[in-house]
């Protein structure tokens, strides 16, 4: 279970960082994405910064053995944030679970983050 959680943590961290960087560099050219234009550039940057910090905190505390207890808390916070982003995307796109819908991506990452939080909380209790 620990190996699966590590793989998921790396996967979620990677997708969140890549998504944040993509939004930063493509905000002005992504005029056809209504949900992206619904929030200001600064708001998306703040969301992206939050995702990057959370992504780093999913990986670094356990690797550096600083405070691995923070990982499930960070995963839960990331899950909540991604569910809010999903709600924004669903408002503009509807919920069609397909690769072209950004809501599908953020929802999948939210579910994986919630699974990581649950898994890390339950492993911590043992």
């Amino acid at each position: 279970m620990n190996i699966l959680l590590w793989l998921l943590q790396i996967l979620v961290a990677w997708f969140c960082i890549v998504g944040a960087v993509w939004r930063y560099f493509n905000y002005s050219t992504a005029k056809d994405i209504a949900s992206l234009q619904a929030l200001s550039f600064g708001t998306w940057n703040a969301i992206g910064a939050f995702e990057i910090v959370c992504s780093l905190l999913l990986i670094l505390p356990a690797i550096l053995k600083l405070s691995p207890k923070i990982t499930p808390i960070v995963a839960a916070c990331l899950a909540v944030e991604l569910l809010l982003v999903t709600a924004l995307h669903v408002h503009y796109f509807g919920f069609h679970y397909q690769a072209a819908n950004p809501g599908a991506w953020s929802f999948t990452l939210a579910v994986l983050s919630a699974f990581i939080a649950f898994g890390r909380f339950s492993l911590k209790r043992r």
Side-chain angles (χ1 to χ4, degrees), residues 60-79:
L60 293 179
I63 288 175
L64 300 175
K65 297 183 189 232
L66 295 174
S67 181
K69 293 182 264 186
I70 196 170
T71 301
I73 297 166
V74 169
C77 291
L78 190 57

Side-chain angles (χ1 to χ4, degrees), residues 59-106:
I59 308 291
L60 293 179
I63 288 175
L64 300 175
K65 297 183 189 232
L66 295 174
S67 181
K69 293 182 264 186
I70 196 170
T71 301
I73 297 166
V74 169
C77 291
L78 190 57
V80 169
E81 182 267 335
L82 287 166
L83 283 175
L84 292 172
V85 171
T86 299
L88 175 70
H89 290 310
V90 167
H91 176 73
Y92 286 95
F93 286 97
F95 194 77
H96 307 288
Y97 204 77
Q98 52 190 336
N101 186 349
W105 288 97
S106 57

Side-chain angles (χ1 to χ4, degrees), residues 34-61:
S35 57
L36 190 61
Q37 297 301 320
L39 299 176
S40 70
F41 183 63
T43 304
W44 279 116
N45 283 343
I47 292 169
F50 178 79
E51 289 178 357
I52 289 171
V53 168
C54 286
S55 296
L56 294 174
L57 290 174
L58 278 177
I59 308 291
L60 293 179

